[in-house]
Amino acid sequence: RRTDHKAILPDNINAAQYLSPSSFRILESAFDKTSAVGGNFYLRMLKSLVQNPEIKNGLLRMDVDSEKMAQQIENLLKVDATKEGKKELLLKMELIAKKSFAAAVSVNNHFIEPADLFSSLGEIGDSAVNKIFVFFEINPADLGKAMIFSRFKRGFLSRLPKNIGGFASHPKKIRHRVMNRAWTARQTPT
Protein backbone atom coordinates (compact mmCIF):
# COMPACT_ATOMS: atom_id res chain seq x y z
CA ARG A 1 0.00 0.00 0.00
CA ARG A 2 1.45 3.31 -1.10
CA THR A 3 0.36 6.65 0.30
CA ASP A 4 2.67 9.01 -1.57
CA HIS A 5 0.54 9.01 -4.77
CA LYS A 6 3.62 8.06 -6.75
CA ALA A 7 2.28 4.69 -7.87
CA ILE A 8 3.94 3.49 -11.03
CA LEU A 9 1.42 3.81 -13.84
CA PRO A 10 1.71 2.91 -17.49
CA ASP A 11 1.71 5.94 -19.81
CA ASN A 12 -1.16 4.61 -21.88
CA ILE A 13 -3.67 4.30 -18.99
CA ASN A 14 -7.07 5.83 -19.67
CA ALA A 15 -7.87 7.25 -16.23
CA ALA A 16 -11.21 8.60 -17.50
CA GLN A 17 -12.58 5.04 -17.43
CA TYR A 18 -12.08 4.99 -13.67
CA LEU A 19 -13.78 8.30 -12.80
CA SER A 20 -16.81 7.96 -10.56
CA PRO A 21 -19.89 9.79 -11.86
CA SER A 22 -19.46 12.61 -9.33
CA SER A 23 -15.77 13.03 -10.21
CA PHE A 24 -16.61 13.07 -13.91
CA ARG A 25 -19.25 15.78 -13.35
CA ILE A 26 -16.74 17.89 -11.40
CA LEU A 27 -14.11 17.68 -14.15
CA GLU A 28 -16.66 18.24 -16.89
CA SER A 29 -18.16 21.27 -15.14
CA ALA A 30 -14.74 22.85 -14.55
CA PHE A 31 -13.75 22.22 -18.17
CA ASP A 32 -16.99 23.70 -19.56
CA LYS A 33 -16.90 26.81 -17.37
CA THR A 34 -13.22 27.45 -18.00
CA SER A 35 -13.52 27.03 -21.76
CA ALA A 36 -16.58 29.31 -21.88
CA VAL A 37 -15.63 32.05 -19.40
CA GLY A 38 -11.91 31.63 -18.86
CA GLY A 39 -10.03 31.61 -15.58
CA ASN A 40 -8.04 28.96 -13.79
CA PHE A 41 -9.21 25.39 -14.52
CA TYR A 42 -7.86 24.03 -11.25
CA LEU A 43 -9.59 26.76 -9.21
CA ARG A 44 -12.90 26.03 -10.92
CA MET A 45 -12.40 22.36 -10.16
CA LEU A 46 -11.57 23.15 -6.53
CA LYS A 47 -14.70 25.30 -6.25
CA SER A 48 -16.84 22.37 -7.47
CA LEU A 49 -15.05 20.01 -5.11
CA VAL A 50 -15.66 22.26 -2.11
CA GLN A 51 -19.40 22.09 -2.85
CA ASN A 52 -19.37 18.26 -2.87
CA PRO A 53 -20.98 16.83 0.33
CA GLU A 54 -18.16 14.32 0.93
CA ILE A 55 -15.50 17.01 0.62
CA LYS A 56 -17.52 19.36 2.85
CA ASN A 57 -17.61 16.61 5.47
CA GLY A 58 -13.86 16.05 5.18
CA LEU A 59 -13.15 19.79 5.39
CA LEU A 60 -15.39 20.03 8.44
CA ARG A 61 -13.32 17.30 10.11
CA MET A 62 -10.23 19.40 9.32
CA ASP A 63 -11.89 22.50 10.89
CA VAL A 64 -12.15 24.32 7.56
CA ASP A 65 -15.28 26.31 6.73
CA SER A 66 -16.20 25.21 3.20
CA GLU A 67 -18.32 28.35 2.63
CA LYS A 68 -15.37 30.64 3.42
CA MET A 69 -13.14 28.53 1.22
CA ALA A 70 -15.61 28.76 -1.66
CA GLN A 71 -15.72 32.54 -1.22
CA GLN A 72 -11.91 32.80 -1.32
CA ILE A 73 -11.84 30.67 -4.48
CA GLU A 74 -14.49 32.90 -6.05
CA ASN A 75 -12.42 35.99 -5.19
CA LEU A 76 -9.37 34.51 -6.92
CA LEU A 77 -11.46 33.52 -9.95
CA LYS A 78 -12.71 37.11 -10.32
CA VAL A 79 -9.11 38.36 -10.50
CA ASP A 80 -7.94 35.70 -12.98
CA ALA A 81 -9.20 36.46 -16.50
CA THR A 82 -6.82 34.26 -18.48
CA LYS A 83 -8.31 32.36 -21.38
CA GLU A 84 -6.74 29.05 -22.36
CA GLY A 85 -7.34 26.98 -25.44
CA LYS A 86 -9.11 23.65 -25.34
CA LYS A 87 -5.84 21.83 -26.00
CA GLU A 88 -4.23 23.27 -22.83
CA LEU A 89 -7.38 22.51 -20.84
CA LEU A 90 -7.41 18.93 -22.07
CA LEU A 91 -3.76 18.53 -21.04
CA LYS A 92 -4.59 19.88 -17.57
CA MET A 93 -7.57 17.55 -17.34
CA GLU A 94 -5.41 14.60 -18.37
CA LEU A 95 -2.76 15.50 -15.79
CA ILE A 96 -5.24 15.77 -12.93
CA ALA A 97 -6.96 12.51 -14.00
CA LYS A 98 -3.66 10.62 -13.98
CA LYS A 99 -2.60 12.06 -10.61
CA SER A 100 -6.05 11.27 -9.20
CA PHE A 101 -5.82 7.74 -10.56
CA ALA A 102 -2.52 7.30 -8.71
CA ALA A 103 -4.13 8.72 -5.55
CA ALA A 104 -7.06 6.29 -5.88
CA VAL A 105 -4.74 3.32 -6.41
CA SER A 106 -2.67 4.27 -3.37
CA VAL A 107 -5.73 4.00 -1.09
CA ASN A 108 -7.19 0.93 -2.84
CA ASN A 109 -10.19 2.73 -4.35
CA HIS A 110 -11.79 1.07 -7.35
CA PHE A 111 -12.76 4.43 -8.84
CA ILE A 112 -11.44 7.98 -8.77
CA GLU A 113 -13.54 9.71 -6.12
CA PRO A 114 -13.80 13.47 -5.45
CA ALA A 115 -11.42 13.07 -2.48
CA ASP A 116 -8.80 11.70 -4.87
CA LEU A 117 -9.27 14.72 -7.14
CA PHE A 118 -8.91 17.01 -4.13
CA SER A 119 -5.77 15.38 -2.80
CA SER A 120 -4.14 15.33 -6.23
CA LEU A 121 -4.65 19.10 -6.61
CA GLY A 122 -1.86 19.57 -4.08
CA GLU A 123 0.59 17.82 -6.39
CA ILE A 124 -0.21 19.92 -9.47
CA GLY A 125 1.85 22.89 -8.31
CA ASP A 126 -0.70 25.53 -9.39
CA SER A 127 0.08 28.78 -7.54
CA ALA A 128 -3.57 29.84 -7.10
CA VAL A 129 -4.60 26.47 -5.64
CA ASN A 130 -1.52 26.50 -3.41
CA LYS A 131 -2.56 29.96 -2.12
CA ILE A 132 -5.93 28.54 -1.07
CA PHE A 133 -4.35 25.53 0.62
CA VAL A 134 -1.81 27.70 2.46
CA PHE A 135 -4.47 30.24 3.48
CA PHE A 136 -6.65 27.51 5.04
CA GLU A 137 -3.65 25.47 6.26
CA ILE A 138 -4.73 22.40 4.31
CA ASN A 139 -2.51 19.50 3.46
CA PRO A 140 -4.50 17.89 0.58
CA ALA A 141 -3.35 14.41 1.58
CA ASP A 142 -5.02 14.90 4.97
CA LEU A 143 -8.48 15.10 3.40
CA GLY A 144 -8.35 11.41 2.55
CA LYS A 145 -7.49 10.63 6.15
CA ALA A 146 -10.29 12.87 7.42
CA MET A 147 -12.78 11.06 5.21
CA ILE A 148 -11.90 7.52 6.28
CA PHE A 149 -14.47 7.49 9.07
CA SER A 150 -17.25 8.86 6.88
CA ARG A 151 -16.57 6.21 4.21
CA PHE A 152 -16.40 3.47 6.86
CA LYS A 153 -19.57 4.72 8.54
CA ARG A 154 -21.46 4.88 5.23
CA GLY A 155 -20.39 1.36 4.24
CA PHE A 156 -20.94 -0.12 7.70
CA LEU A 157 -24.41 1.31 8.21
CA SER A 158 -25.57 0.24 4.76
CA ARG A 159 -24.81 -3.40 5.61
CA LEU A 160 -26.81 -3.38 8.84
CA PRO A 161 -30.38 -4.68 8.90
CA LYS A 162 -32.89 -1.89 8.31
CA ASN A 163 -34.27 -1.93 11.85
CA ILE A 164 -30.78 -1.63 13.35
CA GLY A 165 -29.36 0.59 10.62
CA GLY A 166 -32.20 3.06 10.98
CA PHE A 167 -31.63 3.23 14.72
CA ALA A 168 -27.90 3.64 14.34
CA SER A 169 -28.16 6.34 11.69
CA HIS A 170 -30.84 8.27 13.59
CA PRO A 171 -29.90 7.79 17.26
CA LYS A 172 -32.12 10.66 18.43
CA LYS A 173 -35.29 8.83 17.46
CA ILE A 174 -36.70 6.89 20.36
CA ARG A 175 -37.77 3.45 19.36
CA HIS A 176 -40.03 1.50 21.65
CA ARG A 177 -39.51 -2.19 21.32
CA VAL A 178 -41.75 -4.56 23.21
CA MET A 179 -40.10 -7.77 24.31
CA ASN A 180 -42.29 -10.77 24.75
CA ARG A 181 -41.92 -12.82 27.96
CA ALA A 182 -41.26 -15.91 25.88
CA TRP A 183 -38.02 -14.34 24.65
CA THR A 184 -36.83 -13.65 28.17
CA ALA A 185 -37.84 -17.03 29.56
CA ARG A 186 -35.62 -19.22 27.38
CA GLN A 187 -32.20 -19.11 25.85
CA THR A 188 -31.84 -18.08 22.26
CA PRO A 189 -28.93 -18.56 19.84
CA THR A 190 -28.24 -14.81 19.83
Side-chain angles (χ1 to χ4, degrees), residues 74-92:
E74 186 62 37
N75 292 342
L76 283 176
L77 281 170
K78 287 178 184 175
V79 173
D80 187 6
T82 59
K83 183 92 168 163
E84 293 180 308
K86 289 197 178 197
K87 186 175 182 178
E88 290 86 16
L89 289 175
L90 286 172
L91 288 173
K92 286 183 175 187

Side-chain angles (χ1 to χ4, degrees), residues 17-189:
Q17 293 177 340
Y18 298 96
L19 288 168
S20 70
S22 57
S23 296
F24 183 81
R25 279 191 304 273
I26 288 167
L27 284 174
E28 182 181 43
S29 171
F31 180 84
D32 290 345
K33 287 178 183 174
T34 306
S35 61
V37 180
N40 186 321
F41 169 75
Y42 296 125
L43 276 180
R44 291 207 186 277
M45 193 175 96
L46 183 60
K47 184 178 177 190
S48 294
L49 283 167
V50 168
Q51 295 168 351
N52 181 285
E54 278 187 69
I55 301 296
K56 279 185 177 182
N57 187 22
L59 290 171
L60 181 66
R61 291 181 184 280
M62 293 169 40
D63 294 327
V64 174
D65 185 353
S66 60
E67 298 301 321
K68 287 182 182 177
M69 188 173 185
Q71 185 59 46
Q72 286 293 329
I73 295 167
E74 186 62 37
N75 292 342
L76 283 176
L77 281 170
K78 287 178 184 175
V79 173
D80 187 6
T82 59
K83 183 92 168 163
E84 293 180 308
K86 289 197 178 197
K87 186 175 182 178
E88 290 86 16
L89 289 175
L90 286 172
L91 288 173
K92 286 183 175 187
M93 191 182 252
E94 181 182 353
L95 176 66
I96 196 73
K98 284 186 176 182
K99 294 222 179 259
S100 299
F101 182 84
V105 167
S106 71
V107 293
N108 295 328
N109 283 348
H110 297 289
F111 295 99
I112 299 170
E113 298 295 336
D116 303 317
L117 290 173
F118 187 93
S119 63
S120 64
L121 275 174
E123 296 180 12
I124 295 299
D126 184 72
S127 61
V129 171
N130 289 342
K131 279 182 189 177
I132 294 290
F133 287 160
V134 168
F135 183 80
F136 288 98
E137 299 175 356
I138 294 175
N139 180 355
D142 289 344
L143 182 68
K145 294 173 190 166
M147 294 181 66
I148 286 174
F149 179 73
S150 61
R151 283 183 182 165
F152 170 75
K153 182 179 173 186
R154 184 182 65 219
F156 177 71
L157 291 178
S158 67
R159 290 189 303 258
L160 290 175
K162 293 293 180 198
N163 60 350
I164 296 173
F167 177 74
S169 62
H170 302 290
K172 293 181 182 171
K173 288 184 180 178
I174 298 174
R175 296 188 181 242
H176 296 284
R177 305 256 187 234
V178 177
M179 188 171 283
N180 178 329
R181 280 190 191 255
W183 279 95
T184 59
R186 60 187 165 110
Q187 293 180 345
T188 62

